[in-house]
Amino acid sequence: SFNAREAEQAHLLQVYGQYDIEPVSASGVHLQTRDGRKILDMYGGHAVACLGYNHPAVNAAIEKQARGLLFQSNAVALEVRAQAADALADFAPDNLNKIFLVNSGAEANENALRIALKKTGRSKILAIEHGFHGRTAAAGALTWGAADKWYGFPRTPFDVGFIPRDNAIAASTMIDDATAAVILELVQGVAGAYDLNADFVSAIAQACEAHGAVLIIDEVQTGVGRCGTAFAVDHYDVQADMLTTAKALGAGFPCGALLLSDEMAAGLGKGDLGTTFGGGPMACALIHTVVMAIQRDQLLDNVQTLSNRLQNECLTGPITAISGKGFLLGLHCDTSASDVCQKLLKQDILVGSSSDPNVARLLPPLILENEHVDQLVAALANC
C-alpha cells in the first residue's frame, strides 16, 4: 500500500518530525486516515483549523470566490478585501483600526518590527524569554533559542534583548529610551501554553509608554478566538500599538494580518509596505467567513465553556497541572509529554508537543463539543 512518509523522502527536505498517521480526509474535528482510523484532532494543524474540517461555510466561500475571482494583487481594489478588513477591524480591539494583510505570522511580525524601528529611529528590540515569533530574519532574531539551534544568519538586523519571563522589575529596567519595541505572546504557545502574568504584562506596557517604545502583541497563535475572546489581549488591561495574527485567520487557507493603531499607521504611504499574495481575494473571502462564523455560532462562548471543563477534568492520569487560556492549553505531565502524546494517539486522539519536554499542547478547533472532552478525559485516565 502507498506510504506517504516514504514517498515524501524522495524530494522533500526531511526537516519535520512527523506523526505516524496519514490523514486522507477530515470532517468536523476528526481526521480519517489511509488505514481507516478516525482520529479526534485536538491539535488542529498547529492551531490553524479553527472551524474544523469540511465546514460548509468555508467550503462555500472557497467555491464562490474561486469561481468568481481567484486572484488579483493589491494593484486593484476589491470588494472582498474591504469586507474582510471591515469584519476584522470590528472583531479586533477598539484601538486597532488599520490593517495590513499578509501571508503568514512571521511576515506580519517582520512588518511590525520594521515599522517600529522606522517610527522610533531606534535600534533595540526586546522579546520575552521562551517566546517564539517565526523563522525569518527579524522574527527569528527574537525567537528564544533560535541563535543556538537554527537561526543561521551571521548577525541580527537589530540589537536584541530577552526579558526574563514574569519578571516585572527586569522589564522596567531593560525597557529604556533606546528601546524601539517589545514583542510578546500573551500565552506562549510553543513554550507549552505558558500564560504571562497580568502584572508583568502591565509593567511592560507602562514601561513602553514611559519610554516611547512600541508594544507589539504577537497573536499569531492566540488570536481569532483561540483564547475564548476575539484576541488574547482582551484578557489583559493593556493596549497594543500593533497586533499580529495568522494561523486560524483563514481556517486553513494561508493568510496573516498586521493590525495597527491610527498613530502607528500615520505616515505610512505608497511603497512603504508590500506583498504579492497578501490580501488576495481567496484569503479575504476566508477571513470574512471565519470572523462571521465565530460570531454567528457563538464560538467564543463555546471555547470558554469547554475550556473550563478541560482545565477542571483533564487533571487525571499523568496530568499534574494545566496552563494557558481557552483552547490553547498546556498539559503538564509527570512523565515525558512525548510518551503521553503517543499513548493518546494509540487511543485515536491527536495532541501536540511543545519545547517543554513535559508539556503537551491542546489546540482543538473552536467547534469542539462536550463528547470530545469526555473522550479526551477518559483517554488521559487510561494513559
Side-chain angles (χ1 to χ4, degrees):
S1 63
F2 181 78
N3 186 308
R5 293 181 72 180
E6 292 179 0
E8 283 193 354
Q9 292 173 13
H11 299 292
L12 293 170
L13 292 179
Q14 298 302 292
V15 294
Y16 299 109
Q18 293 184 322
Y19 297 97
D20 192 21
I21 57 172
E22 183 196 344
V24 292
S25 64
S27 183
V29 296
H30 291 98
L31 307 174
Q32 194 73 33
T33 67
R34 182 176 294 277
D35 57 358
R37 296 170 65 186
K38 183 181 180 181
I39 295 177
L40 174 61
D41 184 5
M42 297 291 285
Y43 193 54
H46 300 313
V48 168
C50 65
L51 299 182
Y53 303 94
N54 204 24
H55 191 285
V58 171
N59 291 350
I62 291 172
E63 181 176 4
K64 179 182 177 182
Q65 191 59 52
R67 289 183 182 277
L69 182 67
L70 182 70
F71 180 72
Q72 262 300 323
S73 73
N74 292 284
V76 295
L78 299 174
E79 181 182 10
V80 68
R81 189 183 297 130
Q83 289 173 338
D86 287 347
L88 186 54
D90 183 62
F91 194 56
D94 290 341
N95 71 309
L96 302 176
N97 296 309
K98 301 299 183 183
I99 296 169
F100 180 57
L101 295 172
V102 292
N103 303 283
S104 70
E107 187 182 359
N109 283 336
E110 290 280 320
N111 281 284
L113 295 166
R114 188 154 55 90
I115 291 169
L117 292 163
K118 184 177 179 181
K119 280 276 184 181
T120 62
R122 301 172 183 177
S123 61
K124 179 177 70 175
I125 295 180
L126 303 177
I128 313 302
E129 290 183 358
H130 304 284
F132 186 99
H133 301 290
R135 287 181 172 267
T136 47
L142 294 161
T143 291
W144 181 253
D148 297 328
K149 296 177 181 177
W150 50 259
Y151 187 63
F153 296 93
R155 63 190 65 87
T156 60
F158 39 73
D159 300 326
V160 173
F162 290 95
I163 302 170
R165 199 160 58 183
D166 285 343
N167 189 327
I169 295 175
S172 300
T173 302
M174 293 176 68
I175 300 168
D176 56 25
D177 290 342
T179 306
V182 178
I183 185 170
L184 57 86
E185 305 162 274
L186 293 166
V187 183
Q188 296 183 326
V190 174
Y194 184 98
D195 41 320
L196 296 182
N197 178 275
D199 290 339
F200 173 64
V201 175
S202 293
I204 290 175
Q206 291 166 13
C208 284
E209 184 174 2
H211 294 283
V214 176
L215 178 60
I216 304 170
I217 305 293
D218 178 342
E219 298 230 25
V220 171
Q221 189 166 126
T222 60
V224 196
R226 173 64 48 191
C227 292
T229 50
F231 291 92
V233 71
D234 297 327
H235 287 287
Y236 293 79
D237 188 24
V238 299
Q239 281 192 336
D241 296 304
M242 291 187 280
L243 182 152
T244 59
T245 194
K247 292 194 182 294
L249 187 60
F253 196 91
C255 58
L258 167 60
L259 283 59
L260 311 87
S261 67
D262 289 336
E263 182 181 359
M264 292 306 303
L268 291 172
K270 292 179 176 61
D272 287 333
L273 305 173
T275 171
T276 297
F277 292 102
M282 290 292 287
C284 288
L286 269 298
I287 292 170
H288 183 260
T289 298
V290 166
V291 173
M292 292 298 101
I294 289 173
Q295 294 173 323
R296 180 191 65 235
D297 299 337
Q298 299 180 314
L299 294 183
L300 298 181
D301 291 340
N302 188 58
V303 172
Q304 292 170 18
T305 299
L306 294 191
S307 179
N308 287 335
R309 279 202 64 199
L310 289 166
Q311 294 182 64
N312 289 328
E313 298 177 35
C314 286
L315 288 168
T316 185
I319 309 307
T320 60
I322 299 175
S323 59
K325 297 184 186 298
F327 279 0
L328 173 48
L329 297 176
L331 302 180
H332 296 245
C333 310
D334 62 9
T335 182
S336 161
S338 176
D339 183 54
V340 173
C341 290
Q342 289 302 317
K343 288 180 177 178
L344 288 173
L345 191 55
K346 288 179 180 178
Q347 299 179 73
D348 293 334
I349 299 177
L350 177 64
V351 302
S353 59
S354 73
S355 62
D356 188 320
N358 294 112
V359 179
R361 269 186 298 168
L362 300 181
L363 296 160
L366 311 188
I367 61 169
L368 200 73
E369 298 178 10
N370 276 297
E371 64 186 87
H372 308 130
V373 176
D374 294 341
Q375 185 180 346
L376 174 63
V377 171
L380 285 169
N382 194 42
C383 280

